[in-house]
């Protein structure tokens, strides 16, 4: 049985029979049966169906945002923005259907051409932090390429995916093309990874489970795309607009209560401005409004679960040097306050992914040390660079080993630009035209003339 809670109140909001191996196999069989007809749908018609889905998401924005807010504990204003992005993702990939094409290659004795072909049935395993967004980043390109899909959302947050599947049917996407199984990762997810009829796994989640996905996929040489953890650095040089860097830094780590793989959970600050920056940062963090996710003014809600709160709390031990600890509601709900810690690069809080509202602030001496510290991590997902020196900004951007960087900004994710990690943050790219690579094969055909 899957019990779904509202993390802000601990109320039970839904219960399901968990899908086991049998139900997962049945979903794969439905997808396999639907695939041949779906891949034959004319590009213009497939685009129209995805566009209709995008429009239905727009029409149901408030409903979907309320579902996501109650199930994840997200502030409602942010949840609306996230659903808006989901609609944009489907619009984008509707437009991409007929713009993802092959090439002709000059060869001797004939004509050589390539085709982009779908993989077949793909399994998508998604996490609880941005349930609908991350599902859409995979569904958009997968469906645009002509694949049939089995989506396994996180057991804690399956509600928005289930509603999206209903909207897909309403949009006219044929039955069996988009299937959702609600079950445990270790059962339903594992079965998808091993299933001989599943051609690819698109996974977002922890690096540990990402390793299991790779291992399990080896048995059938499945394609995998992995979007895993992060410990991204927000690098602030002395010549930056310090007030702006500090005013925005809390949102780059405490947004979604820090449960964000792109969280800039290490702030590296040039030593000469360290104290001044820390003062600004603490002031900005103090102003974050933590509370009821249903309140329009709320900026940060609770953590996802009691177990996760324990994990986050385990980072804030007595020996951690706190610069600030905010307030959070007491009583029901998995609350955790905004926490700013002064850290050394070797501290656990500065090395491991906390996935909660905890930031480690670390001084550096010069540009070389900033780059060395930023790269001193097994992860390489995201990050920011703050400086008014353009040449330095690009030097550092090219030197940091990470997939997504922003200069004088903390944004990582746009519908039309590639997103994904270096090192143990995974591989493969989501969003933009790059994502289509992960959901198609290239076939080469030579025609002798
Ligand atoms: P997991 O990696 O465990 O979960 C992500 C997804 O994988 C869920 O759908 C989960 O299912 C599924 N899953 C779990 N085990 C298996 C398995 N053996 N085979 C196949 N699928 C599986 O993340 P957690 O939710 O446990 O979070 C733990 C940590 O992971 C976080 O604290 C954070 O550090 C990191 N994380 C990173 C995310 C990111 O965006 N990169 C997102 C979420 C977490 P289910 O949970 O339903 O059992």
């Amino acid at each position: 049985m899957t019990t779904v809670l509202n993390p802000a109140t601990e109320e039970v909001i839904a219960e399901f029979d968990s899908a086991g191996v049998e139900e997962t196999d049945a979903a794969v069989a439905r997808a396999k049966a639907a695939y041949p007809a779906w891949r034959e749908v004319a590009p213009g018609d497939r685009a129209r169906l995805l566009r209709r889905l995008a429009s239905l998401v727009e029409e149901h924005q408030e409903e979907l945002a309320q579902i996501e807010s109650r199930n994840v504990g997200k502030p409602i204003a942010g949840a609306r923005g996230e659903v808006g992005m989901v609609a944009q993702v489907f619009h984008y990939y509707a437009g991409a259907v007929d713009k993802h094409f092959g090439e002709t290659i000059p060869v001797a004795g004939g004509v050589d051409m390539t085709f982009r072909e779908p993989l077949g049935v793909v399994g998508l395993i998604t996490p609880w932090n941005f349930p609908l967004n991350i599902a859409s980043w995979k569904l958009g390109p997968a469906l645009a390429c002509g694949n049939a899909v089995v989506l396994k959302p996180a057991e804690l947050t399956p509600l928005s995916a289930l509603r999206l599947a209903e909207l897909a049917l309403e949009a006219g996407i044929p039955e069996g093309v988009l299937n959702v199984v609600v079950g445990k990762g270790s059962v339903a997810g594992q079965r998808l990874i091993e299933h001989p009829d599943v051609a690819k796994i698109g996974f977002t989640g922890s690096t540990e489970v990402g390793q299991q996905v790779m291992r399990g996929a080896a048995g059938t040489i499945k394609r995998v795309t992995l979007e895993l953890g992060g410990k991204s650095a927000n690098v602030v040089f002395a010549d930056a607009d310090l007030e702006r860097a500090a005013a925005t830094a809390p949102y780059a780590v405490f947004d979604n209560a820090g449960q964000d793989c792109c969280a800039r959970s290490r702030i590296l600050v040039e030593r000469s401005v360290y104290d001044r920056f820390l003062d600004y940062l603490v002031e900005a963090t103090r102003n974050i409004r933590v509370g009821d996710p249903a309140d329009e003014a709320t900026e940060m809600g609770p953590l996802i679960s009691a177990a996760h709160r324990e994990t986050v709390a385990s980072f804030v031990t007595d020996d951690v040097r706190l610069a600030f600890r905010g307030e959070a509601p007491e009583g029901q709900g998995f609350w955790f306050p905004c926490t700013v810690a002064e850290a050394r690069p070797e501290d656990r809080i500065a090395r491991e992914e906390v996935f909660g509202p905890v930031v480690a602030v670390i001084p550096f001496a010069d540009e070389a040390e900033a780059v060395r510290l930023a790269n001193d991590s097994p992860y390489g997902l995201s990050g920011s660079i703050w400086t008014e020196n353009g040449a330095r900004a690009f030097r550092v951007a090219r030197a940091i080993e990470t997939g997504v960087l922003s200069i004088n900004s903390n944004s990582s994710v746009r519908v039309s630009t590639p997103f994904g990690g270096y090192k143990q943050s995974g591989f493969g790219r989501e969003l933009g035209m790059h994502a289509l690579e992960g959901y198609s094969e290239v076939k080469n055909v030579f025609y002798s003339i």
Side-chain angles (χ1 to χ4, degrees):
M1 179 69 83
T2 301
T3 303
V4 181
L5 299 182
N6 177 338
T9 60
E10 302 182 36
E11 274 168 336
V12 175
I13 52 176
E15 283 183 319
F16 300 93
D17 289 328
S18 297
V21 169
E22 206 176 305
E23 290 79 8
T24 308
D25 285 354
V28 173
R30 282 196 301 277
K32 190 180 176 185
Y35 169 63
W38 177 240
R39 75 169 274 176
E40 291 309 321
V41 170
D45 292 335
R46 195 180 305 141
R48 227 184 330 274
L49 292 170
L50 285 175
R51 231 177 251 302
R52 236 185 257 155
L53 175 58
S55 300
L56 281 172
V57 170
E58 277 164 350
E59 284 166 30
H60 293 264
Q61 182 178 20
E62 187 60 27
E63 177 200 347
L64 290 165
Q66 293 288 350
I67 291 174
E68 206 79 322
S69 174
R70 287 181 71 212
N71 194 175
V72 190
K74 283 177 190 292
I76 183 64
R80 284 190 195 109
E82 287 177 23
V83 176
M85 186 197 195
V86 172
Q88 281 179 40
V89 167
F90 289 121
H91 277 305
Y92 181 87
Y93 288 107
V97 170
D98 56 6
K99 298 173 192 68
H100 182 233
F101 39 64
E103 315 151 279
T104 54
I105 302 170
V107 294
V111 175
D112 192 279
M113 66 202 100
T114 63
F115 294 87
R116 302 285 185 160
E117 298 196 340
L119 302 172
V121 177
V122 302
L124 306 178
I125 302 177
T126 53
W128 43 259
N129 54 344
F130 295 98
L132 200 57
N133 278 68
I134 291 176
S136 75
W137 301 357
K138 301 180 192 318
L139 286 168
L143 295 174
C145 288
N147 300 284
V149 168
V150 179
L151 166 65
K152 194 211 85 66
E155 248 206 321
L156 295 171
T157 57
L159 300 182
S160 54
L162 289 167
R163 186 66 185 114
L164 185 72
E166 291 172 357
L167 294 178
L169 283 178
E170 201 179 320
I173 292 175
E175 202 133 353
V177 170
L178 198 180
N179 306 275
V180 177
V181 288
V182 177
K184 284 199 186 320
S186 55
V187 181
Q190 189 64 31
R191 180 60 186 154
L192 281 178
I193 293 165
E194 288 168 0
H195 202 298
D197 290 337
V198 174
K200 185 225 164 91
I201 296 289
F203 173 80
T204 298
S206 61
T207 296
E208 293 69 32
V209 177
Q211 290 165 342
Q212 291 179 39
V213 172
M214 274 187 94
R215 263 185 233 115
T220 47
I221 315 291
K222 273 188 187 51
R223 284 90 185 103
V224 290
T225 301
L226 302 177
E227 204 269 277
L228 309 174
K231 190 73 190 173
S232 298
N234 186 352
V235 185
V236 182
F237 287 97
D239 64 4
D241 178 342
L242 278 196
E243 292 190 35
R244 198 159 76 85
T248 53
Y251 298 94
V253 59
F254 303 135
D255 192 41
N256 212 39
Q259 302 165 123
D260 183 344
C261 49
C262 292
R264 274 73 166 161
S265 54
R266 292 185 294 156
I267 306 183
L268 311 181
V269 188
E270 193 160 352
R271 200 180 298 278
S272 58
V273 295
Y274 179 87
D275 290 338
R276 195 147 60 90
F277 179 87
L278 192 62
D279 287 347
Y280 289 148
L281 176 70
V282 165
E283 206 38 50
T285 305
R286 201 186 300 283
N287 293 332
I288 290 190
R289 287 176 291 239
V290 183
D292 181 3
D295 185 331
E296 299 286 337
T298 293
E299 293 177 306
M300 191 178 101
L303 294 170
I304 189 70
S305 65
H308 188 54
R309 180 169 59 184
E310 251 178 64
T311 308
V312 171
S314 77
F315 282 86
V316 190
T317 46
D318 290 344
D319 55 339
V320 168
R321 202 164 140 205
L322 291 180
F324 178 72
R325 199 174 162 85
E327 286 177 7
E330 297 193 349
Q332 298 294 96
F334 310 122
W335 302 95
F336 199 88
C338 293
T339 305
V340 179
E342 293 188 83
R344 292 163 306 174
E346 62 273 25
D347 293 341
R348 178 173 175 237
I349 211 169
R351 304 204 65 79
E352 295 180 22
E353 184 174 46
V354 179
F355 228 60
V358 178
V359 69
V361 191
I362 303 166
F364 65 82
D366 55 18
E367 185 178 315
E369 191 182 21
V371 170
R372 185 179 62 70
L373 289 176
N375 287 338
D376 182 19
S377 168
Y379 296 115
L381 187 52
S382 186
S384 300
I385 300 160
W386 292 81
T387 172
E388 295 295 302
N389 178 335
R392 162 140 68 198
F394 276 102
R395 263 197 321 270
V396 175
R398 296 301 303 271
I400 294 184
E401 296 155 352
T402 177
V404 194
L405 269 169
S406 29
I407 297 168
N408 296 333
S409 157
N410 296 312
S411 68
S412 295
V413 174
R414 287 185 176 74
V415 173
S416 58
T417 61
F419 174 74
Y422 277 31
K423 303 195 278 188
Q424 290 187 33
S425 289
F427 56 84
R429 291 293 178 269
E430 306 208 276
L431 296 170
M433 295 299 279
H434 291 75
L436 299 163
E437 306 295 320
Y439 291 95
S440 56
E441 295 281 15
V442 177
K443 178 178 283 174
N444 190 73
V445 176
F446 172 71
Y447 192 163
S448 170
I449 55 171

